[in-house]
């Protein structure tokens, strides 16, 4: 008799793999220039400084042991100081929680803040990692469009006026992934005011805030309300391999997240927490390092945007990359980017079709391009290949 295979949880039926992660499997060919990944440049990561910090941490034995579930206390204190400076107020140590990358913070928060069927408002186009988390939580997802000033808070107001009551509003406020735009100061204040007036949480997802090119991003949304939970990460300025992310939230939220993290993985890595602390406290070195990353990415962003506008003219519109890692582009004709992708791969270039980020809007004529992992001449060659594929 054949064995009966036990079923998996029903919630998995509504989930699908990240189209971006799936696409990365297709872009490992040496002849493909990939604009698809959302990866920082490993060549710009501080390998020697990381090695020195690891050696220093390994000179003792405490680093080999478990650490506290909210994160190694000296790291939390460093993050407390950094976040206090950004928010213009004193952040308490009990308001800082370290996670295994900011994606884990988002996942744990979904479990803490959402019951099945709860309403979550996201931006459209949306960050794919957030969609995966909220779908896994069984949330009802409603999208609010973006424009050049970020989330359309006026559309959110209309939703609220119709009687919708979100539990959570999620925003990538700085240098949006995938949209490439930054929320204006006025909209940040309006969003915070709505959160307090209507009693919902805002998750301000900010992994790119320090990667500005010409001028810093506006003050965080969390500046204006304690109903805002801030997420950030060391992945984009130091290295993703550290797997160090953090959130700043009210003490009750942090304690609830702690209970779930204890059940998930007990605690983070004392080793990577100590390495991260070493690098974040070396302020003179850190300033120079982040400045060099900004300069490199800024030059690459300008090269990509220039190449797109030169090669495609008014056939394609794209965002001006003022920070972060991405450019969002729209074909103004009937070009479908899902159909364009296989032709582009044949020409030796990859991008992510806009449909991967869609919630309510189709984005069949759109695409996201990442500029961080190639120099200017390589980016120009990539757009030349893309133009051949699109002809």
């Amino acid at each position: 008799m054949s064995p009966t295979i036990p079923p998996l949880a029903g919630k998995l039926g509504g989930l699908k793999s990240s189209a971006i992660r799936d696409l990365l499997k297709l872009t490992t060919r040496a002849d493909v220039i990939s604009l698809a990944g959302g990866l920082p440049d490993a060549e710009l990561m501080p390998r020697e400084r990381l090695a020195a910090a690891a050696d220093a941490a390994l000179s003792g034995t405490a680093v080999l042991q478990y650490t506290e579930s909210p994160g190694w206390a000296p790291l939390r204190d460093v993050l407390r100081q950094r976040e206090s400076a950004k928010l213009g107020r004193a952040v308490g140590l009990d308001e800082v929680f370290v996670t295994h990358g900011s994606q884990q913070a988002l996942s744990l928060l979904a479990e803490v803040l959402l019951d099945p069927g709860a309403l979550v408002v996201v931006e459209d186009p949306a960050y794919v990692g957030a969609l995966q988390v909220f779908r896994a939580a069984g949330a009802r997802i409603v999208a609010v469009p973006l424009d050049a000033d970020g989330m359309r808070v006026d559309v959110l107001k209309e939703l609220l006026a119709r009687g919708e009551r979100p539990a959570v509003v999620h925003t990538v406020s700085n240098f949006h992934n995938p949209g490439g735009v930054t929320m204006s100061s006025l909209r940040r204040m309006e969003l915070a005011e709505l959160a307090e007036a209507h009693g919902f949480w805002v998750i301000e997802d900010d992994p790119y805030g320090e990667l500005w090119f010409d001028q810093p991003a506006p003050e965080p949304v969390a500046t204006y309300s304690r109903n805002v939970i801030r997420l950030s990460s060391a992945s984009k300025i130091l290295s993703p391999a550290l797997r160090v992310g953090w959130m700043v939230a009210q003490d009750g939220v942090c304690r609830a997240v702690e209970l779930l993290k204890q059940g998930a993985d007990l605690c983070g890595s004392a080793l990577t927490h100590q390495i991260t602390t070493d690098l974040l406290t070396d302020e003179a070195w850190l300033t120079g390092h982040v400045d060099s990353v900004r300069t490199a990415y800024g030059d690459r962003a300008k090269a990509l945007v220039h190449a797109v506008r030169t090669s495609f003219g008014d056939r394609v519109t794209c965002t001006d990359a003022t920070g972060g890692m991405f450019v969002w582009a729209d074909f103004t004709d009937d070009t479908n980017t899902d159909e364009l992708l296989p032709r582009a791969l044949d020409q030796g270039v990859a991008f992510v079709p806009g449909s991967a980020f869609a919630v309510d809007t189709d984005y069949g004529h759109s695409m996201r391009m990442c500029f961080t992992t190639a120099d200017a001449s390589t980016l120009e060659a990539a757009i030349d290949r893309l133009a051949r594929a699109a002809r």
Side-chain angles (χ1 to χ4, degrees):
M1 188 173 87
S2 299
T4 300
I5 300 175
L8 300 177
K11 66 181 180 181
L12 291 171
L15 300 183
K16 58 183 179 180
S17 178
S18 164
I20 302 167
R21 292 291 167 185
D22 293 342
L23 181 59
L24 290 179
K25 300 172 187 175
L26 303 176
T27 60
T28 55
R29 291 173 14 210
D31 61 323
V32 173
I33 302 172
S34 180
L35 308 177
L39 308 176
D41 188 352
E43 294 300 319
L44 298 177
M45 295 175 197
R47 285 170 289 179
E48 293 182 1
R49 188 65 184 80
L50 286 165
D55 284 344
L58 289 166
S59 64
T61 58
V63 73
L64 304 176
Q65 211 24 294
Y66 294 108
T67 189
E68 302 99 317
S69 295
W72 192 51
L75 173 57
R76 291 169 62 216
D77 188 54
V78 170
L79 297 172
R80 179 192 65 77
Q81 295 174 49
R82 289 171 60 84
E83 292 293 331
S84 294
K86 290 177 182 176
L87 298 179
R89 65 172 176 85
V91 173
L93 195 64
D94 56 2
E95 296 178 87
V96 179
F97 198 99
V98 181
T99 55
H100 193 72
S102 60
Q103 184 69 21
Q104 187 190 49
L106 189 58
S107 179
L108 293 172
L109 283 170
E111 293 187 65
V112 165
L113 304 179
L114 300 174
D115 292 315
L119 173 61
V120 174
V121 174
V122 300
E123 293 155 328
D124 197 7
Y127 167 52
V128 170
L131 292 178
Q132 288 181 306
V133 163
F134 298 141
R135 285 168 178 157
R140 180 168 67 93
I141 299 173
V142 172
V144 167
L146 293 171
D147 64 15
D149 289 323
M151 175 186 280
R152 288 277 306 279
V153 177
D154 60 317
V155 176
L156 175 60
K157 288 179 182 177
E158 293 171 4
L159 287 173
L160 294 167
R162 294 203 300 267
E164 293 281 20
R165 289 297 175 262
V168 167
V169 173
H170 177 269
T171 178
V172 182
S173 55
N174 295 325
F175 318 121
H176 191 271
N177 177 11
V181 297
T182 294
M183 188 186 294
S184 68
S185 293
L186 177 60
R187 290 189 185 178
R188 292 171 191 240
M189 288 186 281
E190 291 175 337
L191 177 57
E193 290 170 0
L194 290 174
E196 296 202 342
H198 295 274
F200 59 79
W201 296 101
V202 174
I203 298 178
E204 182 180 20
D205 214 341
D206 184 25
Y208 311 107
E210 296 198 46
L211 297 180
W212 50 268
F213 302 151
D214 300 318
Q215 61 182 4
E219 291 180 323
V221 183
T223 304
Y224 306 106
S225 173
R226 299 292 182 100
N227 282 19
V228 182
I229 301 168
R230 255 183 66 76
L231 309 185
S232 195
S233 168
S235 294
K236 306 304 186 292
I237 60 170
L238 296 177
S239 169
L242 293 170
R243 304 313 301 136
V244 172
W246 57 89
M247 70 176 191
V248 176
Q250 294 184 27
D251 174 55
V253 174
C254 290
R255 298 292 71 77
V257 167
E258 182 175 359
L259 292 175
L260 291 175
K261 183 169 174 62
Q262 288 172 350
D265 63 3
L266 296 180
C267 63
S269 163
L271 176 59
T272 61
H273 287 195
Q274 291 194 35
I275 292 170
T276 304
T277 303
D278 188 331
L279 271 62
L280 292 181
T281 52
D282 191 348
E283 294 186 5
W285 170 85
L286 183 65
T287 297
H289 167 68
V290 175
D291 281 346
S292 68
V293 174
R294 286 188 192 124
T295 299
Y297 287 175
D299 290 345
R300 295 171 189 183
K302 289 179 175 64
L304 178 64
V305 170
H306 178 73
V308 169
R309 290 173 177 166
T310 300
S311 296
F312 288 95
D314 59 7
R315 187 182 176 193
V316 171
T317 62
C318 68
T319 54
D320 286 305
T322 58
M325 299 170 58
F326 306 106
V327 167
W328 180 262
D330 298 294
F331 280 90
T332 57
D333 57 20
D334 61 356
T335 300
N336 181 284
T337 51
D338 286 297
E339 297 172 359
L340 175 61
L341 179 58
R343 300 200 303 272
L345 288 169
D346 287 343
Q347 292 290 337
V349 62
F351 61 86
V352 184
S355 59
F357 310 97
V359 183
D360 292 336
T361 306
D362 177 67
Y363 295 116
H365 304 302
S366 305
M367 58 186 170
R368 188 197 76 175
M369 295 176 285
C370 179
F371 50 75
T372 54
T373 55
D375 60 23
S377 61
T378 304
L379 291 168
E380 290 165 2
I383 297 305
D384 184 60
R385 295 179 185 187
L386 184 61
R388 288 202 303 269
R391 278 198 284 270

